[in-house]
């Protein structure tokens, strides 16, 4: 087990550079790559630094903090770890290491359906940790409603506190980098929760091999809400009209996401979509945003644009590859420390003071 960080890791970019050398090249292509020409992957990362801050000076800063309220509870800071699949590609401890790191840093954690570790194992590892953030389970919709409901019930029984339904991937994106690398899961590694998942019945026609016929719809969202007591978040909402429809259904919240640029290339950057989604729903729903967040200033800008919290995915993968749980914890700590400094340097004593006025036109 890794007990210390490799030297020279001062930023998330340092973590990325080292992880690119540490990981198997094909696995790195899977983790790092995006869809198509990776325009959205780049746009996500470029949109946040393109926003400029307008700092205030001589503001009262005594008693400052990073606390936020999300999903009915107070969190120490607004950083959560996004779901990403097959984490044992980066480190043998996989999702357990990431979840423990999140708990140690008071961060929320979202476990992927395509986890390489069963959800019960992850829950047992962290539920007793004091100060931990929310523990949520991400659900990829399967062709059989009964299978989806059984998986949701497994998550509830294990202690997960919400479901996160991914809605932006009815089919996989065209991931050229991944295909060129010839990525395949190593022998013995698979999705811990999809054994026995019924195959989708054949659909007429050739439109994406019939897969969209079994993709979730708004009716399925309403059905799932009625079947489970767990709060239901939708991940992958970018369009204001979809946000309004979700609010009308009374979902628990939205995650403004383009799947990290891994599905539809040239889709809008999340920093661009976020304020439009907030304008569409007003104060009706909490919003979490992911995609391209690499600095504490990015976190602060996201809050100013209307997010209640942020998620990071790839940076956690880099930390995991570099030093297991310690590396993931370091990534979270870097972001939180940078956020605190950005707040102080812009005159924000709390994140409630991070409003659109913090950004230049």
């Amino acid at each position: 087990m890794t007990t210390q960080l490799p030297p020279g890791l001062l930023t998330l970019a340092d973590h990325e550079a080292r992880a690119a050398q540490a990981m198997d090249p094909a696995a790195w292509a899977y983790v790092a790559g995006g869809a198509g020409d990776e325009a959205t992957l780049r746009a996500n990362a470029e949109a946040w630094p393109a926003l400029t801050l307008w700092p205030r000076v001589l503001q009262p800063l005594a008693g400052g903090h990073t606390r936020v309220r999300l999903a009915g509870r107070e969190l120490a800071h607004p950083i959560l770890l996004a779901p990403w699949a097959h984490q044992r590609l980066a480190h043998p401890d996989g999702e357990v290491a990431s979840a423990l790191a999140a708990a140690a840093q008071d961060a929320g954690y979202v476990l992927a359906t395509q986890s390489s570790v069963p959800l019960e194992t992850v829950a047992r590892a962290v539920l007793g940790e004091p100060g931990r953030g929310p523990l949520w389970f991400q659900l990829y919709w399967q062709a059989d409603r009964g299978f989806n409901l059984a998986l949701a019930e497994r998550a509830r029984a294990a202690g997960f506190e919400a479901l996160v339904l991914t809605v932006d991937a009815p089919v996989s994106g065209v991931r050229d980098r991944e295909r060129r690398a010839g990525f395949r899961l190593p022998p013995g590694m698979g999705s811990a929760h999809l054994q026995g998942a019924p195959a989708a019945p054949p659909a007429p026609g050739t439109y994406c091999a019939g897969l969209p016929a079994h993709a979730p719809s708004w009716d399925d969202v309403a059905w799932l809400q009625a079947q489970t007591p767990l709060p239901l978040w939708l991940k992958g909402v970018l369009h204001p009209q979809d946000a309004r429809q979700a609010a009308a259904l009374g979902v628990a919240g939205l995650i403004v996401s383009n799947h990290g640029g891994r599905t539809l290339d040239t889709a809008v950057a999340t920093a661009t979509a976020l304020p439009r989604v907030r304008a569409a729903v007003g104060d009706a729903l909490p919003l979490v945003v992911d995609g391209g967040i690499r600095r504490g200033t990015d976190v602060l800008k996201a809050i100013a644009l209307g997010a209640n919290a942020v998620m990071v995915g790839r940076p956690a993968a880099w930390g995991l590859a570099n030093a297991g749980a310690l590396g993931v914890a370091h990534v979270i700590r870097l972001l939180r420390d940078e956020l605190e400094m950005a707040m102080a340097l812009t005159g924000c004593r709390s994140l409630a003071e991070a409003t659109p006025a913090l950004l230049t036109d």
Side-chain angles (χ1 to χ4, degrees):
M1 178 177 291
T2 304
T3 57
Q4 62 183 13
L5 287 170
L9 297 178
L10 303 179
T11 68
L12 269 59
D14 294 335
H15 271 283
E16 180 180 18
R18 192 182 189 285
Q21 299 300 315
M23 289 186 68
D24 170 82
W28 177 252
Y30 172 79
V31 169
D37 297 317
E38 301 186 343
T40 297
L41 177 63
R42 291 189 298 275
N44 278 346
E46 293 168 358
W48 298 109
L51 297 167
T52 51
L53 292 164
W54 210 340
R56 297 289 306 277
V57 297
L58 303 175
Q59 301 299 299
L61 297 176
H65 63 83
T66 60
R67 295 190 297 274
V68 295
R69 288 199 64 80
L70 184 71
R73 59 190 287 186
E74 186 173 83
L75 309 184
H77 58 80
I79 301 165
L80 296 84
L81 296 190
W84 60 280
H86 311 304
Q87 293 189 20
R88 281 182 172 164
L89 288 170
H91 191 277
D93 294 338
E95 288 80 2
V96 171
S98 295
L100 285 170
Q105 290 296 321
D106 306 322
Y109 184 73
V110 187
L111 181 70
T113 289
Q114 293 180 309
S115 168
S116 50
V117 177
L119 60 88
E120 292 87 356
T121 302
V122 173
R124 284 194 298 268
V126 300
L127 281 177
E129 290 293 318
R132 66 170 178 84
L135 180 64
W136 297 349
F137 182 75
Q138 176 252 357
L139 179 65
Y140 264 126
W141 189 261
Q142 305 300 308
D144 182 81
R145 277 186 169 184
F147 185 89
N148 293 314
L149 187 57
L151 191 51
E153 174 55 25
R154 271 185 68 184
R156 186 204 64 77
F160 285 79
E161 297 150 341
L163 293 177
V164 176
L165 178 65
T166 291
V167 297
D168 63 351
V171 297
S172 181
V174 180
R175 299 176 190 166
D176 294 340
R177 193 193 319 193
E178 186 179 318
R179 292 189 297 166
R180 289 192 183 101
F183 172 75
R184 296 289 185 276
L185 284 176
M189 185 181 296
S191 299
H193 307 120
L194 296 183
Q195 290 88 353
T206 59
Y207 175 49
C208 292
L211 291 175
H214 311 290
S217 67
W218 289 109
D219 287 342
D220 291 313
V221 172
W223 174 84
L224 186 58
Q225 283 182 290
Q227 300 300 314
T228 177
L230 289 177
L232 181 63
W233 289 67
L234 301 186
K235 181 178 183 291
V237 174
L238 295 171
H239 200 289
Q241 188 170 330
D242 290 334
R244 284 189 287 268
Q245 192 160 353
L249 278 178
V251 300
L254 301 178
I255 299 172
V256 179
S257 172
N258 53 35
H259 219 95
R262 293 171 65 82
T263 52
L264 176 65
D265 198 23
T266 72
V268 62
T270 51
T272 302
L274 172 60
R276 292 161 172 80
V277 172
R278 173 54 74 197
V281 302
D283 295 328
L285 291 177
L287 301 181
V288 177
V289 66
D290 70 9
I293 291 170
R294 303 292 182 262
R295 286 285 189 177
T297 48
D298 300 340
V299 180
L300 183 61
K301 292 169 186 178
I303 302 299
L305 289 175
N308 299 89
V310 304
M311 281 184 177
V312 293
R314 286 185 180 90
W318 308 333
L320 186 63
N322 290 333
L326 183 60
V328 179
H330 188 242
V331 163
I332 299 168
R333 189 74 238 184
L334 285 173
L335 279 175
R336 184 177 178 183
D337 287 348
E338 289 185 4
L339 171 61
E340 291 182 3
M341 287 183 277
M343 290 171 63
L345 291 169
T346 53
C348 293
R349 182 162 46 186
S350 73
L351 288 170
E353 298 174 4
T355 70
L358 190 64
L359 304 172
T360 62
D361 297 332

